[in-house]
Amino acid sequence: MSRMRKKVIVITDGDEYARRAIRHIASELGGTSLDDLAGNPTRATKEEIIKGIERATSEPVFVLVDDAGVSGIGAGESILLQIATHPSVDIIGALAVASHTKFREWSRFDFSIDLDGNLVPFGVDKEGVPELDVDRISGDTVYALDQLTIPTIVAIGDIGKMRGRDDIKYGAPVTKRAIELILERDEQHGAASTGNADSIQT
C-alpha cells in the first residue's frame, strides 16, 4: 500500500514562545502544529515525530526542532536529517531562526524577513534586525537545512519575540508572514507543475 506524503514546514526553534506562536498560526492558517513534541532542545524521537506527522488531520504539519545552542549536529538537526528522507514526509519549506549562539553555523535562504515584516536581502539577527551577510543566516539549528533540498527557506528572528513585534498578543505577525511566503511558493509550484503536466498531455 502506498503511503501518502504529508506536507511539512520545519521550524528551527522549539522554545515556549515558538510553540505558542506556531500553535496560534496553525489555528489561523490551517495545518497541524506538533508543538507538543517540541522542546529546547528537541527530546522527541524520530518515531514520535513521524507518527505525529502521519496522524495529522490537516496540512501543512509544523515540526519544531531545536539544538539549544549545541555546536554541530545537535538533537534538533539530527531529527531533521532523519525525518527529511522518510517516505511520509514532504518538506515544503523551513523557517531558519537566527540565534546569538557563539557557534556561528549558517544556512542559505530564499527570503529574509525583518522585525517589521519587510523582505530584506540580508540575513537577520535574533532581534530581526538585518545583518551584513547576503543570502545566509546564522543560528544554532540551521546548518542541516543547507544539507537538504528544501524548496523555500525563510530567514527570521527569534519567533514570538523580536523586540515585541512578533508577540503572540499581536498574532505573531512576522512569523505568520514568513509561513505565508512558504505556502504561497508551494501553491505556485503546484500550479506550475499542473500547468506543465497539462501542456505535455495536450
Side-chain angles (χ1 to χ4, degrees):
M1 180 183 295
S2 62
R3 177 182 286 145
M4 183 178 294
R5 299 175 76 201
K6 293 285 182 70
K7 292 185 177 183
V8 169
I9 294 178
V10 173
I11 317 294
T12 66
D13 193 0
D15 68 14
E16 180 61 26
Y17 289 91
R19 295 196 294 269
R20 291 173 57 208
I22 296 303
R23 187 187 312 133
H24 172 76
I25 291 167
S27 71
E28 284 205 333
L29 298 181
T32 302
S33 172
L34 298 187
D35 56 275
D36 58 321
L37 295 176
N40 179 237
T42 299
R43 292 187 173 85
T45 65
K46 168 194 171 183
E47 290 73 23
E48 289 172 328
I49 291 178
I50 291 298
K51 185 178 292 185
I53 292 171
E54 292 179 339
R55 288 181 174 177
T57 57
S58 58
E59 300 174 65
V61 184
F62 297 94
V63 175
L64 296 84
V65 296
D66 199 323
D67 280 354
V70 173
S71 177
I73 302 296
E77 288 183 283
S78 177
I79 287 291
L80 172 56
L81 291 171
Q82 291 178 65
I83 69 171
T85 56
H86 194 277
S88 294
V89 176
D90 176 19
I91 298 179
I92 63 170
L95 296 192
V97 181
S99 74
H100 287 161
T101 177
K102 63 181 178 180
F103 303 113
R104 301 290 283 179
E105 299 173 4
W106 61 272
S107 171
R108 67 173 180 84
F109 61 80
D110 300 288
F111 298 99
S112 182
I113 188 166
D114 69 12
L115 75 169
D116 293 314
N118 299 314
L119 294 178
V120 294
F122 306 99
V124 293
D125 65 14
K126 188 172 181 175
E127 304 297 334
V129 176
E131 295 193 305
L132 297 179
D133 291 329
V134 177
D135 294 333
R136 72 183 210 174
I137 185 170
S138 298
D140 65 1
T141 319
V142 300
Y143 177 73
L145 296 178
D146 232 31
Q147 315 307 307
L148 302 170
T149 302
I150 298 177
T152 306
I153 297 177
V154 182
I156 192 171
D158 209 358
I159 293 176
K161 302 174 186 176
M162 290 181 257
R163 300 180 179 176
R165 310 287 179 86
D166 199 45
D167 196 293
I168 188 67
K169 67 184 179 184
Y170 303 124
V174 183
T175 301
K176 182 179 179 181
R177 180 58 187 138
I179 294 293
E180 288 173 336
L181 282 171
I182 292 173
L183 295 175
E184 288 167 9
R185 281 286 292 266
D186 181 61
E187 186 175 344
Q188 291 169 3
H189 176 73
S193 298
T194 302
N196 290 339
D198 290 343
S199 64
I200 291 172
Q201 293 172 357
T202 55

